[in-house]
Amino acid sequence: MKTADFLRVLDREGRLLAEAAELAGTDAKVPTCPGWQVADLLRHTGVVHRWAAAFVAEGHLSFRPTEEPPALDGAALTTWFREGHRQLVDTLTAAEPDVRCWHFLPAPSPLAFWTRRQAHETTIHRLDAEAARGGTPTGIDPVFAADGIDELLLGFHDRARSRARSPQPRVLRVRATDADDAVWTVRLSEEPPAAARGGAGEADCEVAGPVAVLYPALWNRQPFPTVHGDASVAALWQEKSAVT
């Protein structure tokens, strides 16, 4: 996917998130984020949007912490979220392709990184908002979902801070049933996970299903569609793979 594609997803997903939040109400519980209400979801995502926009707009070359969200609730909080989302989309749209700023995963450019990262950040939290709203969630494009699995397995969990570890070596395979080339192999050990595209070799456990279902399942937003083999490996992933 190109940066322009991620930008379109980000624009759409932020609007869907706000719409679902309005329908649910800011005091509604978010079943996919235990202990959170919709207000917490809006505050978190709104802060992250402004945090990301600042790196690109202001060219910060080193890490900067997020700011505290304002003491807003109800309609005022939803409006604040919409404003931050719009600011992020506009900032990324206007940015020069060679803009230099801090980013934390490998990418073709900082602009490519932030646009992709915020598209996935917003999509996962849009699913959270729709879970609070109830009803059928909005669909996810399979190509985008596969990219999100790439980002999670090959990016986030390639870092030393990943907690997805096993005292005994285990191999988890992730297989999309609706795309021939959407297969990942994750080697779990006491070191950070070693993940790669492809299905070579034996696996202790395989989780399988449509790629647009596997994507949120790997982010622990829903159960794995099917689990074959040693189910304790899938359970280990769900227990230890949270990204913070």
Side-chain angles (χ1 to χ4, degrees):
M1 293 180 65
K2 297 180 179 179
T3 297
D5 299 320
F6 289 117
L7 189 59
R8 283 190 290 271
V9 173
L10 171 59
D11 188 15
R12 169 182 179 264
E13 294 294 319
R15 289 185 281 106
L16 288 172
L17 194 163
E19 291 167 7
E22 284 181 328
L23 289 171
T26 55
D27 60 346
K29 293 182 179 179
V30 182
T32 48
C33 298
W36 271 21
Q37 295 179 312
V38 169
D40 300 300
L41 183 65
L42 289 173
R43 292 182 187 119
H44 166 78
T45 315
V47 162
V48 169
H49 283 173
R50 287 165 170 80
W51 177 72
F55 282 109
V56 176
E58 300 169 20
H60 301 299
L61 297 178
S62 59
F63 171 80
R64 293 165 64 94
T66 58
E67 297 181 355
E68 290 296 317
L72 299 173
D73 205 347
L77 178 59
T78 307
T79 297
W80 173 83
F81 169 82
R82 288 185 186 276
E83 290 171 349
H85 171 249
R86 187 75 259 151
Q87 175 191 358
L88 173 62
V89 172
D90 290 347
T91 296
L92 294 171
T93 300
E96 294 295 333
D98 60 351
V99 63
R100 295 180 63 245
C101 63
W102 179 83
H103 59 290
F104 60 87
L105 293 178
S109 70
L111 181 60
F113 165 80
W114 282 113
T115 309
R116 179 198 197 197
R117 173 82 288 275
Q118 291 308 302
H120 287 297
E121 174 86 8
T122 307
T123 299
I124 292 298
H125 288 314
R126 181 267 292 172
L127 290 171
D128 294 330
E130 291 184 341
R133 179 205 65 194
T136 303
T138 306
I140 300 172
D141 176 76
V143 174
F144 178 74
D147 180 84
I149 297 175
D150 275 340
E151 187 203 42
L152 179 64
L153 298 183
L154 309 183
F156 276 105
H157 286 290
D158 188 51
R159 302 184 301 168
R161 65 190 300 174
S162 172
R163 295 176 55 251
R165 305 188 185 207
S166 171
Q168 296 180 331
R170 292 288 185 269
V171 178
L172 173 67
R173 179 148 300 134
V174 179
R175 185 182 302 277
T177 55
D178 55 349
D180 293 337
D181 61 343
V183 182
W184 297 260
T185 299
V186 186
R187 301 187 182 279
L188 300 168
S189 68
E190 293 182 336
E191 299 298 319
R197 275 271 193 152
E202 297 295 321
D204 297 290
C205 176
E206 179 172 296
V207 295
V211 67
V213 179
L214 289 173
Y215 168 53
L218 288 163
W219 276 100
N220 295 320
R221 263 42 187 200
Q222 60 188 65
F224 290 116
T226 60
V227 178
H228 304 286
D230 186 351
S232 70
V233 180
L236 181 149
W237 179 269
Q238 293 173 320
E239 177 186 354
K240 298 186 175 183
S241 66
V243 173
T244 59

